[in-house]
PDB file of all heavy atoms in Angstrom:
ATOM      1  N   ARG B 124       5.241  69.382  42.226  1.00 95.00           N
ATOM      2  CA  ARG B 124       4.088  69.105  43.091  1.00 95.00           C
ATOM      3  C   ARG B 124       4.152  69.964  44.355  1.00 95.00           C
ATOM      4  O   ARG B 124       3.144  70.483  44.821  1.00 95.00           O
ATOM      5  CB  ARG B 124       4.112  67.620  43.473  1.00 95.00           C
ATOM      6  CG  ARG B 124       2.791  67.064  43.903  1.00 95.00           C
ATOM      7  CD  ARG B 124       2.922  65.650  44.436  1.00 95.00           C
ATOM      8  NE  ARG B 124       3.869  64.827  43.697  1.00 95.00           N
ATOM      9  CZ  ARG B 124       4.484  63.760  44.188  1.00 95.00           C
ATOM     10  NH1 ARG B 124       4.234  63.368  45.422  1.00 95.00           N
ATOM     11  NH2 ARG B 124       5.332  63.066  43.464  1.00 95.00           N
ATOM     12  N   ALA B 125       5.358  70.108  44.899  1.00 96.00           N
ATOM     13  CA  ALA B 125       5.521  70.882  46.132  1.00 96.00           C
ATOM     14  C   ALA B 125       5.056  72.326  45.918  1.00 96.00           C
ATOM     15  O   ALA B 125       4.345  72.886  46.764  1.00 96.00           O
ATOM     16  CB  ALA B 125       6.986  70.855  46.563  1.00 96.00           C
ATOM     17  N   VAL B 126       5.440  72.910  44.791  1.00 96.00           N
ATOM     18  CA  VAL B 126       5.056  74.308  44.541  1.00 96.00           C
ATOM     19  C   VAL B 126       3.549  74.412  44.313  1.00 96.00           C
ATOM     20  O   VAL B 126       2.893  75.324  44.825  1.00 96.00           O
ATOM     21  CB  VAL B 126       5.834  74.877  43.333  1.00 96.00           C
ATOM     22  CG1 VAL B 126       5.351  76.284  43.016  1.00 96.00           C
ATOM     23  CG2 VAL B 126       7.321  74.903  43.625  1.00 96.00           C
ATOM     24  N   VAL B 127       2.992  73.466  43.573  1.00 96.00           N
ATOM     25  CA  VAL B 127       1.542  73.489  43.332  1.00 96.00           C
ATOM     26  C   VAL B 127       0.794  73.383  44.668  1.00 96.00           C
ATOM     27  O   VAL B 127      -0.185  74.099  44.912  1.00 96.00           O
ATOM     28  CB  VAL B 127       1.133  72.346  42.377  1.00 96.00           C
ATOM     29  CG1 VAL B 127      -0.381  72.210  42.319  1.00 96.00           C
ATOM     30  CG2 VAL B 127       1.689  72.601  40.981  1.00 96.00           C
ATOM     31  N   LEU B 128       1.276  72.517  45.535  1.00 97.00           N
ATOM     32  CA  LEU B 128       0.612  72.365  46.839  1.00 97.00           C
ATOM     33  C   LEU B 128       0.725  73.652  47.662  1.00 97.00           C
ATOM     34  O   LEU B 128      -0.245  74.089  48.287  1.00 97.00           O
ATOM     35  CB  LEU B 128       1.231  71.190  47.611  1.00 97.00           C
ATOM     36  CG  LEU B 128       0.848  69.795  47.113  1.00 97.00           C
ATOM     37  CD1 LEU B 128       1.751  68.730  47.726  1.00 97.00           C
ATOM     38  CD2 LEU B 128      -0.612  69.477  47.458  1.00 97.00           C
ATOM     39  N   LEU B 129       1.905  74.237  47.658  1.00 97.00           N
ATOM     40  CA  LEU B 129       2.096  75.448  48.469  1.00 97.00           C
ATOM     41  C   LEU B 129       1.259  76.616  47.950  1.00 97.00           C
ATOM     42  O   LEU B 129       0.663  77.352  48.741  1.00 97.00           O
ATOM     43  CB  LEU B 129       3.581  75.845  48.490  1.00 97.00           C
ATOM     44  CG  LEU B 129       4.511  74.960  49.329  1.00 97.00           C
ATOM     45  CD1 LEU B 129       5.962  75.410  49.181  1.00 97.00           C
ATOM     46  CD2 LEU B 129       4.114  74.990  50.794  1.00 97.00           C
ATOM     47  N   ILE B 130       1.217  76.778  46.641  1.00 95.00           N
ATOM     48  CA  ILE B 130       0.523  77.948  46.084  1.00 95.00           C
ATOM     49  C   ILE B 130      -0.980  77.698  45.938  1.00 95.00           C
ATOM     50  O   ILE B 130      -1.796  78.529  46.336  1.00 95.00           O
ATOM     51  CB  ILE B 130       1.106  78.309  44.687  1.00 95.00           C
ATOM     52  CG1 ILE B 130       2.612  78.532  44.769  1.00 95.00           C
ATOM     53  CG2 ILE B 130       0.362  79.512  44.082  1.00 95.00           C
ATOM     54  CD1 ILE B 130       3.061  79.833  45.305  1.00 95.00           C
ATOM     55  N   ASP B 131      -1.338  76.566  45.354  1.00 94.00           N
ATOM     56  CA  ASP B 131      -2.750  76.344  45.019  1.00 94.00           C
ATOM     57  C   ASP B 131      -3.572  75.803  46.182  1.00 94.00           C
ATOM     58  O   ASP B 131      -4.755  76.102  46.296  1.00 94.00           O
ATOM     59  CB  ASP B 131      -2.856  75.378  43.837  1.00 94.00           C
ATOM     60  CG  ASP B 131      -2.542  76.084  42.524  1.00 94.00           C
ATOM     61  OD1 ASP B 131      -2.427  77.319  42.538  1.00 94.00           O
ATOM     62  OD2 ASP B 131      -2.410  75.398  41.491  1.00 94.00           O
ATOM     63  N   VAL B 132      -2.970  74.973  47.006  1.00 95.00           N
ATOM     64  CA  VAL B 132      -3.734  74.383  48.114  1.00 95.00           C
ATOM     65  C   VAL B 132      -3.546  75.202  49.391  1.00 95.00           C
ATOM     66  O   VAL B 132      -4.518  75.557  50.054  1.00 95.00           O
ATOM     67  CB  VAL B 132      -3.325  72.914  48.345  1.00 95.00           C
ATOM     68  CG1 VAL B 132      -4.090  72.328  49.532  1.00 95.00           C
ATOM     69  CG2 VAL B 132      -3.572  72.087  47.091  1.00 95.00           C
ATOM     70  N   GLU B 133      -2.305  75.501  49.711  1.00 94.00           N
ATOM     71  CA  GLU B 133      -2.043  76.215  50.971  1.00 94.00           C
ATOM     72  C   GLU B 133      -2.112  77.731  50.802  1.00 94.00           C
ATOM     73  O   GLU B 133      -2.039  78.463  51.788  1.00 94.00           O
ATOM     74  CB  GLU B 133      -0.681  75.797  51.532  1.00 94.00           C
ATOM     75  CG  GLU B 133      -0.558  74.291  51.808  1.00 94.00           C
ATOM     76  CD  GLU B 133      -1.643  73.779  52.747  1.00 94.00           C
ATOM     77  OE1 GLU B 133      -2.137  74.575  53.579  1.00 94.00           O
ATOM     78  OE2 GLU B 133      -2.017  72.598  52.640  1.00 94.00           O
TER      79      GLU B 133
END
Side-chain angles (χ1 to χ4, degrees):
Chain B
R124 202 187 321 157
V126 176
V127 170
L128 286 167
L129 287 176
I130 304 282
D131 283 351
V132 178
E133 301 304 332

